[in-house]
Amino acid sequence: MSAIIPSAHDLAVENANAAYAKTQKTPFRQFLLAIGGGLAIAIGFTFYVTSQQGALALPAGPMKVLGGVCFSTGIILVVVLGLDLFTSTTMTVLPLYEKKIRLPLFLRHWTLSATGNLVGALGLAVALFFAHQHMSSSGSWGEVALRTAATKASHGPLETLILAILANIAVCAAVWMAQSGRSTVDKIFACVFPISFFVASSFEHSIANMFLLPMGLLTKYYGGAEFWNSQAVLESGKTFADYAAFTPMAAVQNILIVLIGNIIGGGFMLATFFYFTYLKNDVKKVKKVHGE
């Protein structure tokens, strides 16, 4: 790979080529990479929750930025390790627009990506629950996870959709810029600020929610007396009844709406914008050369 930082146009070409390359892997490999992507985002959110223990004592701004920086670990893992994350995979609309792939292949890759991410994210949530992570720091970890999850699930459908659109514009912008990196440090630096921005702004990321909402539900329904009588929960003043609206149905509704919003923001806004800005004329030139 050249050490020269690409121009905006060349960066668009690189991202389109990278999106195309994703779709050319075998289905089994796509699924494995997607499981890894879901696991990476769950790791990032685990770090986020850990950073927020006792953080309510901080001013709101620094508290949220701290959480955002910690969560960016997940996207960094995805980018550097070459994992597949559905939210950035929405940019495979680029090779679809360029007619390098057909709709069935496009939809198959999206399905494998989203399903694999769910397996990875949900798998870590279950593992952490059985590892008793929710009782870490006298129940503080579980209290943060439950409170954060319930807050996300409490948004109305339109609010959730808009927050999801904005989140994936930021995520795809981070991944897009990271493509320009010619070293690991470059790629990390490209990810941190856009990701910290969307997390600190409380935008909605579907794969993160595939980890956090199940983690919150497991803590709520199966934490038992040990959790609800823990020091952190008692100090918060919250009881089981305060989370009555946070149900499995509310979690599923949130994840589905956020998925739609992420698709709109990443695929049909950011990637489509760059296609018409930098790539559409290239496609026209190729067609002209081939007499199409």
Side-chain angles (χ1 to χ4, degrees):
M1 184 180 289
S2 171
I4 299 174
I5 302 301
S7 67
H9 171 270
D10 290 345
L11 181 58
V13 172
E14 285 192 19
N15 273 286
N17 290 339
Y20 173 73
K22 280 187 176 186
T23 68
Q24 300 305 296
K25 296 179 174 68
T26 64
F28 181 66
R29 189 178 177 196
Q30 288 177 25
F31 189 63
L32 287 180
L33 290 171
I35 292 174
L39 181 61
I41 294 302
I43 289 171
F45 221 125
T46 301
F47 196 7
Y48 168 91
V49 172
T50 301
S51 76
Q52 299 302 288
Q53 296 175 93
L56 288 175
L58 299 173
M63 175 188 74
K64 290 182 176 182
V65 171
L66 172 64
V69 171
C70 291
F71 177 81
S72 66
T73 300
I75 303 293
I76 291 167
L77 288 171
V78 169
V79 168
V80 175
L81 299 181
L83 304 174
D84 194 355
L85 180 63
F86 177 75
T87 45
S88 57
T89 285
T90 58
M91 293 193 290
T92 55
V93 294
L94 293 173
L96 184 68
Y97 291 156
E98 294 174 320
K99 298 184 179 179
K100 291 181 178 179
I101 60 173
R102 295 185 181 276
L103 187 61
L105 177 61
F106 170 80
L107 293 176
R108 185 186 74 181
H109 180 59
W110 272 27
T111 301
L112 289 169
S113 180
T115 305
N117 283 177
L118 175 61
V119 171
L122 183 59
L124 185 59
V126 173
L128 288 178
F129 181 77
F130 281 105
H132 236 50
Q133 180 68 24
H134 60 290
M135 290 306 301
S136 177
S137 302
S138 302
S140 178
W141 200 96
E143 189 276 326
V144 172
L146 176 56
R147 169 165 44 85
T148 306
T151 299
K152 286 182 172 294
S154 69
H155 298 315
L158 180 60
E159 182 182 1
T160 300
L161 183 69
I162 294 171
L163 292 172
I165 291 171
L166 295 172
N168 211 29
I169 290 174
V171 170
C172 289
V175 173
W176 189 277
M177 291 192 298
Q179 183 67 37
S180 71
R182 284 354 190 205
S183 72
T184 301
V185 173
D186 293 344
K187 292 179 181 294
I188 291 172
F189 195 75
C191 289
V192 170
F193 289 101
I195 301 306
S196 298
F197 155 69
F198 105 72
V199 176
S201 301
S202 300
F203 296 162
E204 295 281 335
H205 187 270
S206 54
I207 314 307
N209 289 6
M210 288 178 184
F211 163 76
L212 180 66
L213 299 189
M215 189 75 226
L217 290 170
L218 286 169
T219 301
K220 174 187 173 181
Y221 288 108
Y222 300 105
E226 181 185 22
F227 171 72
W228 289 105
N229 293 325
S230 66
Q231 179 182 341
V233 174
L234 293 175
E235 288 179 354
S236 74
K238 298 290 185 180
T239 66
F240 186 92
D242 291 311
Y243 294 101
F246 180 46
T247 63
M249 185 58 68
V252 170
Q253 176 179 293
N254 171 276
I255 290 171
L256 290 176
I257 294 173
V258 175
L259 271 171
I260 294 169
N262 287 168
I263 290 169
I264 294 170
F268 300 120
M269 292 185 72
L270 186 135
T272 300
F273 170 81
F274 283 124
Y275 172 75
F276 283 103
T277 304
Y278 294 117
L279 300 173
K280 192 171 187 296
N281 286 338
D282 289 356
V283 174
K284 285 183 176 179
K285 289 175 183 177
V286 170
K287 286 182 177 181
K288 187 174 181 180
V289 168
H290 291 281
E292 298 178 17

